[in-house]
mmCIF file of all heavy atoms in Angstrom:
data_model
loop_
_atom_site.group_PDB
_atom_site.id
_atom_site.type_symbol
_atom_site.label_atom_id
_atom_site.label_comp_id
_atom_site.label_asym_id
_atom_site.label_seq_id
_atom_site.Cartn_x
_atom_site.Cartn_y
_atom_site.Cartn_z
ATOM 1 N N PRO A 10 1.117 17.262 14.031
ATOM 2 C CA PRO A 10 1.086 16.060 14.859
ATOM 3 C C PRO A 10 0.144 14.998 14.289
ATOM 4 O O PRO A 10 0.491 13.803 14.422
ATOM 5 C CB PRO A 10 0.621 16.615 16.170
ATOM 6 C CG PRO A 10 1.127 18.055 16.209
ATOM 7 C CD PRO A 10 0.925 18.513 14.752
ATOM 8 N N GLY A 11 -1.018 15.354 13.806
ATOM 9 C CA GLY A 11 -1.982 14.309 13.303
ATOM 10 C C GLY A 11 -1.437 13.597 12.145
ATOM 11 O O GLY A 11 -1.488 12.323 12.097
ATOM 12 N N TYR A 14 1.598 11.411 13.288
ATOM 13 C CA TYR A 14 1.288 10.269 14.134
ATOM 14 C C TYR A 14 0.543 9.187 13.249
ATOM 15 O O TYR A 14 0.775 7.972 13.395
ATOM 16 C CB TYR A 14 0.423 10.711 15.238
ATOM 17 C CG TYR A 14 0.194 9.601 16.244
ATOM 18 C CD1 TYR A 14 1.288 8.947 16.877
ATOM 19 C CD2 TYR A 14 -1.090 9.215 16.688
ATOM 20 C CE1 TYR A 14 1.104 8.002 17.802
ATOM 21 C CE2 TYR A 14 -1.232 8.238 17.636
ATOM 22 C CZ TYR A 14 -0.155 7.596 18.194
ATOM 23 O OH TYR A 14 -0.334 6.635 19.158
ATOM 24 N N LEU A 18 1.940 5.313 12.840
ATOM 25 C CA LEU A 18 1.064 4.145 13.175
ATOM 26 C C LEU A 18 0.938 3.269 11.913
ATOM 27 O O LEU A 18 1.013 1.970 12.051
ATOM 28 C CB LEU A 18 -0.256 4.606 13.647
ATOM 29 C CG LEU A 18 -0.321 5.200 15.055
ATOM 30 C CD1 LEU A 18 -1.762 5.758 15.303
ATOM 31 C CD2 LEU A 18 0.070 4.216 16.100
ATOM 32 N N VAL A 44 1.147 22.020 23.884
ATOM 33 C CA VAL A 44 0.085 21.158 23.451
ATOM 34 C C VAL A 44 -0.459 20.433 24.692
ATOM 35 O O VAL A 44 0.302 19.942 25.523
ATOM 36 C CB VAL A 44 0.536 20.128 22.498
ATOM 37 C CG1 VAL A 44 -0.535 19.071 22.181
ATOM 38 C CG2 VAL A 44 0.974 20.824 21.189
ATOM 39 N N VAL A 45 -1.744 20.376 24.912
ATOM 40 C CA VAL A 45 -2.347 19.700 26.092
ATOM 41 C C VAL A 45 -3.036 18.451 25.500
ATOM 42 O O VAL A 45 -3.785 18.474 24.576
ATOM 43 C CB VAL A 45 -3.439 20.567 26.763
ATOM 44 C CG1 VAL A 45 -4.075 19.815 27.948
ATOM 45 C CG2 VAL A 45 -2.745 21.843 27.287
ATOM 46 N N LEU A 46 -2.741 17.292 26.212
ATOM 47 C CA LEU A 46 -3.386 16.025 25.891
ATOM 48 C C LEU A 46 -4.035 15.432 27.141
ATOM 49 O O LEU A 46 -3.517 15.570 28.256
ATOM 50 C CB LEU A 46 -2.346 15.041 25.338
ATOM 51 C CG LEU A 46 -1.682 15.439 24.014
ATOM 52 C CD1 LEU A 46 -0.603 14.396 23.648
ATOM 53 C CD2 LEU A 46 -2.690 15.498 22.847
ATOM 54 N N SER A 47 -5.175 14.818 26.938
ATOM 55 C CA SER A 47 -5.842 14.237 28.057
ATOM 56 C C SER A 47 -5.289 12.841 28.426
ATOM 57 O O SER A 47 -4.610 12.221 27.613
ATOM 58 C CB SER A 47 -7.373 13.990 27.733
ATOM 59 O OG SER A 47 -7.509 13.041 26.675
ATOM 60 N N ASP A 48 -5.603 12.383 29.635
ATOM 61 C CA ASP A 48 -5.176 11.056 30.004
ATOM 62 C C ASP A 48 -5.762 9.995 29.148
ATOM 63 O O ASP A 48 -5.127 8.955 28.841
ATOM 64 C CB ASP A 48 -5.545 10.815 31.470
ATOM 65 C CG ASP A 48 -4.697 11.571 32.469
ATOM 66 O OD1 ASP A 48 -3.634 12.055 32.034
ATOM 67 O OD2 ASP A 48 -5.216 11.809 33.638
ATOM 68 N N GLU A 49 -6.990 10.212 28.660
ATOM 69 C CA GLU A 49 -7.616 9.270 27.743
ATOM 70 C C GLU A 49 -6.836 9.097 26.412
ATOM 71 O O GLU A 49 -6.556 7.993 25.969
ATOM 72 C CB GLU A 49 -9.063 9.715 27.478
ATOM 73 C CG GLU A 49 -9.840 8.753 26.487
ATOM 74 C CD GLU A 49 -11.218 9.306 26.220
ATOM 75 O OE1 GLU A 49 -11.395 10.524 26.128
ATOM 76 O OE2 GLU A 49 -12.174 8.503 26.149
ATOM 77 N N THR A 50 -6.443 10.291 25.842
ATOM 78 C CA THR A 50 -5.682 10.246 24.632
ATOM 79 C C THR A 50 -4.301 9.568 24.832
ATOM 80 O O THR A 50 -3.843 8.851 24.043
ATOM 81 C CB THR A 50 -5.468 11.644 24.065
ATOM 82 O OG1 THR A 50 -6.771 12.241 23.972
ATOM 83 C CG2 THR A 50 -4.744 11.654 22.760
ATOM 84 N N LEU A 51 -3.654 9.918 25.973
ATOM 85 C CA LEU A 51 -2.336 9.345 26.268
ATOM 86 C C LEU A 51 -2.473 7.825 26.468
ATOM 87 O O LEU A 51 -1.572 7.088 26.053
ATOM 88 C CB LEU A 51 -1.797 10.008 27.588
ATOM 89 C CG LEU A 51 -1.360 11.433 27.398
ATOM 90 C CD1 LEU A 51 -0.960 11.973 28.752
ATOM 91 C CD2 LEU A 51 -0.232 11.560 26.423
ATOM 92 N N GLY A 52 -3.554 7.350 27.057
ATOM 93 C CA GLY A 52 -3.785 5.950 27.181
ATOM 94 C C GLY A 52 -3.847 5.256 25.818
ATOM 95 O O GLY A 52 -3.263 4.142 25.570
ATOM 96 N N GLY A 53 -4.509 5.854 24.857
ATOM 97 C CA GLY A 53 -4.567 5.368 23.526
ATOM 98 C C GLY A 53 -3.220 5.342 22.868
ATOM 99 O O GLY A 53 -2.882 4.382 22.158
ATOM 100 N N ILE A 54 -2.385 6.362 23.050
ATOM 101 C CA ILE A 54 -1.058 6.392 22.454
ATOM 102 C C ILE A 54 -0.166 5.335 23.147
ATOM 103 O O ILE A 54 0.557 4.657 22.390
ATOM 104 C CB ILE A 54 -0.386 7.814 22.716
ATOM 105 C CG1 ILE A 54 -1.118 8.862 21.863
ATOM 106 C CG2 ILE A 54 1.040 7.778 22.386
ATOM 107 C CD1 ILE A 54 -0.729 10.290 22.157
ATOM 108 N N GLU A 55 -0.342 5.182 24.447
ATOM 109 C CA GLU A 55 0.503 4.134 25.036
ATOM 110 C C GLU A 55 0.212 2.731 24.493
ATOM 111 O O GLU A 55 1.119 1.961 24.315
ATOM 112 C CB GLU A 55 0.261 4.187 26.569
ATOM 113 C CG GLU A 55 1.082 3.190 27.378
ATOM 114 C CD GLU A 55 0.793 3.261 28.868
ATOM 115 O OE1 GLU A 55 -0.181 3.827 29.260
ATOM 116 O OE2 GLU A 55 1.643 2.744 29.623
ATOM 117 N N HIS A 56 -1.073 2.430 24.301
ATOM 118 C CA HIS A 56 -1.491 1.141 23.813
ATOM 119 C C HIS A 56 -1.017 0.931 22.376
ATOM 120 O O HIS A 56 -0.561 -0.141 22.006
ATOM 121 C CB HIS A 56 -2.978 1.021 23.916
ATOM 122 C CG HIS A 56 -3.529 -0.287 23.381
ATOM 123 N ND1 HIS A 56 -3.278 -1.421 24.126
ATOM 124 C CD2 HIS A 56 -4.128 -0.607 22.240
ATOM 125 C CE1 HIS A 56 -3.893 -2.426 23.447
ATOM 126 N NE2 HIS A 56 -4.390 -1.980 22.339
ATOM 127 N N ALA A 57 -1.117 2.100 21.532
ATOM 128 C CA ALA A 57 -0.820 1.959 20.102
ATOM 129 C C ALA A 57 0.650 1.966 19.812
ATOM 130 O O ALA A 57 1.100 1.330 18.852
ATOM 131 C CB ALA A 57 -1.597 3.025 19.352
ATOM 132 N N ASP A 58 1.413 2.784 20.572
ATOM 133 C CA ASP A 58 2.868 2.934 20.207
ATOM 134 C C ASP A 58 3.553 3.328 21.476
ATOM 135 O O ASP A 58 3.785 4.485 21.778
ATOM 136 C CB ASP A 58 3.064 3.991 19.153
ATOM 137 C CG ASP A 58 4.467 3.938 18.652
ATOM 138 O OD1 ASP A 58 5.381 3.442 19.309
ATOM 139 O OD2 ASP A 58 4.712 4.365 17.499
ATOM 140 N N PRO A 59 4.025 2.322 22.298
ATOM 141 C CA PRO A 59 4.724 2.565 23.576
ATOM 142 C C PRO A 59 5.995 3.490 23.426
ATOM 143 O O PRO A 59 6.290 4.181 24.335
ATOM 144 C CB PRO A 59 5.056 1.173 24.100
ATOM 145 C CG PRO A 59 4.112 0.267 23.446
ATOM 146 C CD PRO A 59 3.898 0.898 22.053
ATOM 147 N N VAL A 61 6.479 6.011 21.365
ATOM 148 C CA VAL A 61 6.063 7.440 21.322
ATOM 149 C C VAL A 61 5.621 7.868 22.720
ATOM 150 O O VAL A 61 5.995 8.892 23.181
ATOM 151 C CB VAL A 61 4.953 7.631 20.283
ATOM 152 C CG1 VAL A 61 4.347 9.128 20.452
ATOM 153 C CG2 VAL A 61 5.461 7.529 18.874
ATOM 154 N N TYR A 62 4.785 6.992 23.352
ATOM 155 C CA TYR A 62 4.288 7.379 24.700
ATOM 156 C C TYR A 62 5.425 7.568 25.672
ATOM 157 O O TYR A 62 5.415 8.567 26.415
ATOM 158 C CB TYR A 62 3.403 6.198 25.229
ATOM 159 C CG TYR A 62 2.991 6.433 26.641
ATOM 160 C CD1 TYR A 62 1.998 7.279 26.912
ATOM 161 C CD2 TYR A 62 3.618 5.804 27.615
ATOM 162 C CE1 TYR A 62 1.631 7.582 28.229
ATOM 163 C CE2 TYR A 62 3.282 6.035 29.018
ATOM 164 C CZ TYR A 62 2.275 6.970 29.310
ATOM 165 O OH TYR A 62 1.887 7.176 30.584
ATOM 166 N N GLU A 63 6.465 6.688 25.631
ATOM 167 C CA GLU A 63 7.531 6.842 26.619
ATOM 168 C C GLU A 63 8.339 8.133 26.338
ATOM 169 O O GLU A 63 8.754 8.814 27.309
ATOM 170 C CB GLU A 63 8.477 5.617 26.482
ATOM 171 C CG GLU A 63 9.647 5.621 27.479
ATOM 172 C CD GLU A 63 9.191 5.703 28.925
ATOM 173 O OE1 GLU A 63 8.093 5.189 29.240
ATOM 174 O OE2 GLU A 63 9.949 6.213 29.820
ATOM 175 N N LEU A 65 7.041 10.871 25.084
ATOM 176 C CA LEU A 65 6.196 11.955 25.509
ATOM 177 C C LEU A 65 6.246 12.039 27.057
ATOM 178 O O LEU A 65 6.296 13.129 27.631
ATOM 179 C CB LEU A 65 4.791 11.758 25.080
ATOM 180 C CG LEU A 65 4.534 11.828 23.591
ATOM 181 C CD1 LEU A 65 3.075 11.425 23.263
ATOM 182 C CD2 LEU A 65 4.803 13.246 23.081
ATOM 183 N N PHE A 69 6.571 15.459 29.596
ATOM 184 C CA PHE A 69 5.303 16.013 29.991
ATOM 185 C C PHE A 69 5.468 16.777 31.277
ATOM 186 O O PHE A 69 6.137 16.381 32.190
ATOM 187 C CB PHE A 69 4.204 14.918 30.146
ATOM 188 C CG PHE A 69 3.329 14.726 28.937
ATOM 189 C CD1 PHE A 69 3.114 13.458 28.491
ATOM 190 C CD2 PHE A 69 2.801 15.846 28.250
ATOM 191 C CE1 PHE A 69 2.291 13.300 27.382
ATOM 192 C CE2 PHE A 69 1.984 15.573 27.173
ATOM 193 C CZ PHE A 69 1.734 14.329 26.734
ATOM 194 N N ARG A 71 2.875 17.932 34.196
ATOM 195 C CA ARG A 71 1.571 17.512 34.697
ATOM 196 C C ARG A 71 1.177 18.421 35.901
ATOM 197 O O ARG A 71 1.974 18.826 36.691
ATOM 198 C CB ARG A 71 1.582 16.046 35.196
ATOM 199 C CG ARG A 71 1.714 15.074 34.023
ATOM 200 C CD ARG A 71 1.519 13.627 34.501
ATOM 201 N NE ARG A 71 1.529 12.614 33.454
ATOM 202 C CZ ARG A 71 0.490 12.222 32.785
ATOM 203 N NH1 ARG A 71 -0.702 12.755 33.078
ATOM 204 N NH2 ARG A 71 0.583 11.333 31.823
ATOM 205 N N GLY A 90 -6.391 17.165 36.374
ATOM 206 C CA GLY A 90 -5.426 16.311 35.624
ATOM 207 C C GLY A 90 -5.181 16.775 34.226
ATOM 208 O O GLY A 90 -5.961 16.543 33.332
ATOM 209 N N PHE A 91 -4.033 17.429 34.025
ATOM 210 C CA PHE A 91 -3.591 17.941 32.688
ATOM 211 C C PHE A 91 -2.185 17.404 32.426
ATOM 212 O O PHE A 91 -1.363 17.144 33.382
ATOM 213 C CB PHE A 91 -3.583 19.421 32.605
ATOM 214 C CG PHE A 91 -4.934 20.078 32.795
ATOM 215 C CD1 PHE A 91 -5.309 20.594 33.966
ATOM 216 C CD2 PHE A 91 -5.727 20.165 31.664
ATOM 217 C CE1 PHE A 91 -6.564 21.207 34.156
ATOM 218 C CE2 PHE A 91 -7.047 20.771 31.868
ATOM 219 C CZ PHE A 91 -7.399 21.294 33.100
ATOM 220 N N ALA A 92 -1.817 17.250 31.152
ATOM 221 C CA ALA A 92 -0.488 16.992 30.773
ATOM 222 C C ALA A 92 -0.220 17.781 29.497
ATOM 223 O O ALA A 92 -1.019 17.863 28.656
ATOM 224 C CB ALA A 92 -0.336 15.401 30.426
ATOM 225 N N LEU A 94 3.207 19.456 26.804
ATOM 226 C CA LEU A 94 4.572 19.634 26.443
ATOM 227 C C LEU A 94 4.645 20.596 25.273
ATOM 228 O O LEU A 94 3.629 20.969 24.628
ATOM 229 C CB LEU A 94 5.199 18.238 26.085
ATOM 230 C CG LEU A 94 4.960 17.692 24.592
ATOM 231 C CD1 LEU A 94 5.962 16.641 24.363
ATOM 232 C CD2 LEU A 94 3.524 17.223 24.516
ATOM 233 N N LEU A 99 7.094 17.938 20.692
ATOM 234 C CA LEU A 99 6.180 16.918 20.173
ATOM 235 C C LEU A 99 6.497 16.551 18.733
ATOM 236 O O LEU A 99 6.548 15.356 18.342
ATOM 237 C CB LEU A 99 4.708 17.381 20.265
ATOM 238 C CG LEU A 99 3.650 16.477 19.652
ATOM 239 C CD1 LEU A 99 3.653 15.108 20.265
ATOM 240 C CD2 LEU A 99 2.281 17.155 19.725
ATOM 241 N N ILE A 276 -11.556 24.241 25.418
ATOM 242 C CA ILE A 276 -11.851 22.918 26.078
ATOM 243 C C ILE A 276 -10.781 21.915 25.790
ATOM 244 O O ILE A 276 -10.962 20.749 26.192
ATOM 245 C CB ILE A 276 -13.249 22.401 25.566
ATOM 246 C CG1 ILE A 276 -13.152 21.958 24.160
ATOM 247 C CG2 ILE A 276 -14.332 23.350 25.805
ATOM 248 C CD1 ILE A 276 -14.195 20.923 23.800
ATOM 249 N N GLY A 277 -9.708 22.219 25.137
ATOM 250 C CA GLY A 277 -8.718 21.210 24.823
ATOM 251 C C GLY A 277 -7.881 21.645 23.594
ATOM 252 O O GLY A 277 -7.862 22.815 23.311
ATOM 253 N N SER A 278 -7.311 20.722 22.955
ATOM 254 C CA SER A 278 -6.494 21.104 21.814
ATOM 255 C C SER A 278 -6.883 20.350 20.531
ATOM 256 O O SER A 278 -7.356 19.219 20.648
ATOM 257 C CB SER A 278 -5.024 20.819 22.093
ATOM 258 O OG SER A 278 -4.690 19.468 21.898
ATOM 259 N N GLY A 279 -6.709 21.009 19.435
ATOM 260 C CA GLY A 279 -6.990 20.313 18.153
ATOM 261 C C GLY A 279 -5.994 19.195 17.940
ATOM 262 O O GLY A 279 -6.271 18.246 17.286
ATOM 263 N N THR A 280 -4.807 19.272 18.511
ATOM 264 C CA THR A 280 -3.859 18.224 18.499
ATOM 265 C C THR A 280 -4.433 16.903 19.122
ATOM 266 O O THR A 280 -4.250 15.786 18.525
ATOM 267 C CB THR A 280 -2.539 18.543 19.256
ATOM 268 O OG1 THR A 280 -1.977 19.724 18.638
ATOM 269 C CG2 THR A 280 -1.589 17.422 19.184
ATOM 270 N N LYS A 281 -5.121 17.049 20.210
ATOM 271 C CA LYS A 281 -5.784 15.875 20.822
ATOM 272 C C LYS A 281 -6.742 15.167 19.830
ATOM 273 O O LYS A 281 -6.708 13.969 19.674
ATOM 274 C CB LYS A 281 -6.526 16.370 22.076
ATOM 275 C CG LYS A 281 -7.378 15.258 22.733
ATOM 276 C CD LYS A 281 -8.230 15.822 23.814
ATOM 277 C CE LYS A 281 -9.091 14.788 24.542
ATOM 278 N NZ LYS A 281 -10.115 14.193 23.638
ATOM 279 N N LEU A 282 -7.580 15.987 19.193
ATOM 280 C CA LEU A 282 -8.502 15.379 18.297
ATOM 281 C C LEU A 282 -7.870 14.811 17.033
ATOM 282 O O LEU A 282 -8.221 13.717 16.630
ATOM 283 C CB LEU A 282 -9.557 16.439 17.815
ATOM 284 C CG LEU A 282 -10.590 16.957 18.809
ATOM 285 C CD1 LEU A 282 -11.408 18.082 18.226
ATOM 286 C CD2 LEU A 282 -11.469 15.783 19.234
ATOM 287 N N ALA A 283 -6.792 15.394 16.602
ATOM 288 C CA ALA A 283 -6.058 14.908 15.384
ATOM 289 C C ALA A 283 -5.397 13.536 15.726
ATOM 290 O O ALA A 283 -5.424 12.638 14.928
ATOM 291 C CB ALA A 283 -5.027 15.922 14.917
ATOM 292 N N VAL A 284 -4.826 13.506 16.941
ATOM 293 C CA VAL A 284 -4.123 12.222 17.367
ATOM 294 C C VAL A 284 -5.143 11.117 17.479
ATOM 295 O O VAL A 284 -4.942 9.938 17.091
ATOM 296 C CB VAL A 284 -3.398 12.439 18.666
ATOM 297 C CG1 VAL A 284 -2.994 11.139 19.359
ATOM 298 C CG2 VAL A 284 -2.152 13.323 18.448
ATOM 299 N N GLU A 285 -6.335 11.512 18.066
ATOM 300 C CA GLU A 285 -7.401 10.440 18.136
ATOM 301 C C GLU A 285 -7.890 10.051 16.810
ATOM 302 O O GLU A 285 -8.219 8.814 16.568
ATOM 303 C CB GLU A 285 -8.515 10.993 19.023
ATOM 304 C CG GLU A 285 -8.116 11.181 20.486
ATOM 305 C CD GLU A 285 -9.214 11.923 21.317
ATOM 306 O OE1 GLU A 285 -10.193 12.362 20.663
ATOM 307 O OE2 GLU A 285 -9.070 11.995 22.501
ATOM 308 N N ASP A 286 -7.947 11.003 15.846
ATOM 309 C CA ASP A 286 -8.332 10.589 14.499
ATOM 310 C C ASP A 286 -7.329 9.610 13.893
ATOM 311 O O ASP A 286 -7.733 8.637 13.243
ATOM 312 C CB ASP A 286 -8.324 11.903 13.564
ATOM 313 C CG ASP A 286 -9.528 12.763 13.757
ATOM 314 O OD1 ASP A 286 -10.512 12.406 14.465
ATOM 315 O OD2 ASP A 286 -9.567 13.840 13.138
ATOM 316 N N ALA A 287 -6.026 9.903 14.078
ATOM 317 C CA ALA A 287 -5.007 9.019 13.544
ATOM 318 C C ALA A 287 -5.105 7.621 14.067
ATOM 319 O O ALA A 287 -4.965 6.638 13.405
ATOM 320 C CB ALA A 287 -3.648 9.631 13.851
ATOM 321 N N LEU A 288 -5.336 7.550 15.443
ATOM 322 C CA LEU A 288 -5.521 6.207 16.057
ATOM 323 C C LEU A 288 -6.666 5.468 15.402
ATOM 324 O O LEU A 288 -6.590 4.281 15.133
ATOM 325 C CB LEU A 288 -5.749 6.384 17.592
ATOM 326 C CG LEU A 288 -4.611 6.675 18.431
ATOM 327 C CD1 LEU A 288 -4.979 7.221 19.780
ATOM 328 C CD2 LEU A 288 -3.757 5.419 18.583
ATOM 329 N N ALA A 289 -7.836 6.158 15.286
ATOM 330 C CA ALA A 289 -8.988 5.524 14.717
ATOM 331 C C ALA A 289 -8.780 5.108 13.274
ATOM 332 O O ALA A 289 -9.235 3.998 12.837
ATOM 333 C CB ALA A 289 -10.260 6.398 14.850
ATOM 334 N N ARG A 311 -15.688 8.147 14.161
ATOM 335 C CA ARG A 311 -15.190 9.450 14.718
ATOM 336 C C ARG A 311 -16.187 10.577 14.697
ATOM 337 O O ARG A 311 -16.137 11.442 15.536
ATOM 338 C CB ARG A 311 -13.983 9.872 13.920
ATOM 339 C CG ARG A 311 -12.694 9.046 14.254
ATOM 340 C CD ARG A 311 -12.277 9.260 15.690
ATOM 341 N NE ARG A 311 -11.788 10.620 15.942
ATOM 342 C CZ ARG A 311 -11.754 11.140 17.145
ATOM 343 N NH1 ARG A 311 -12.026 10.434 18.206
ATOM 344 N NH2 ARG A 311 -11.252 12.406 17.296
ATOM 345 N N VAL A 314 -18.237 11.196 17.925
ATOM 346 C CA VAL A 314 -17.314 11.647 19.027
ATOM 347 C C VAL A 314 -16.894 13.117 18.771
ATOM 348 O O VAL A 314 -16.981 13.930 19.743
ATOM 349 C CB VAL A 314 -16.023 10.768 19.059
ATOM 350 C CG1 VAL A 314 -15.045 11.248 20.116
ATOM 351 C CG2 VAL A 314 -16.426 9.328 19.326
ATOM 352 N N THR A 318 -17.760 16.643 20.972
ATOM 353 C CA THR A 318 -16.713 17.560 21.433
ATOM 354 C C THR A 318 -17.034 18.932 20.873
ATOM 355 O O THR A 318 -16.890 19.921 21.567
ATOM 356 C CB THR A 318 -15.345 17.120 20.852
ATOM 357 O OG1 THR A 318 -15.088 15.726 21.489
ATOM 358 C CG2 THR A 318 -14.267 17.967 21.334
ATOM 359 N N ARG A 353 -19.621 19.602 30.079
ATOM 360 C CA ARG A 353 -19.023 18.307 30.288
ATOM 361 C C ARG A 353 -18.547 18.151 31.720
ATOM 362 O O ARG A 353 -18.574 17.041 32.226
ATOM 363 C CB ARG A 353 -17.823 18.222 29.301
ATOM 364 C CG ARG A 353 -18.167 18.002 27.907
ATOM 365 C CD ARG A 353 -17.068 17.447 27.075
ATOM 366 N NE ARG A 353 -17.519 16.708 25.939
ATOM 367 C CZ ARG A 353 -16.721 16.097 25.054
ATOM 368 N NH1 ARG A 353 -15.408 16.113 25.250
ATOM 369 N NH2 ARG A 353 -17.182 15.429 24.038
#
Side-chain angles (χ1 to χ4, degrees):
Y14 191 52
L18 287 176
V44 174
V45 179
L46 296 176
S47 69
D48 288 340
E49 182 182 35
T50 304
L51 290 174
I54 293 173
E55 182 179 17
H56 180 75
D58 193 337
V61 170
Y62 173 79
E63 183 58 29
L65 293 174
F69 266 131
R71 290 185 176 272
F91 296 99
L94 81 165
L99 173 60
I276 70 156
S278 80
T280 300
K281 172 186 180 297
L282 287 177
V284 166
E285 291 172 354
D286 283 355
L288 281 165
R311 287 296 292 163
V314 176
T318 301
R353 283 196 159 185

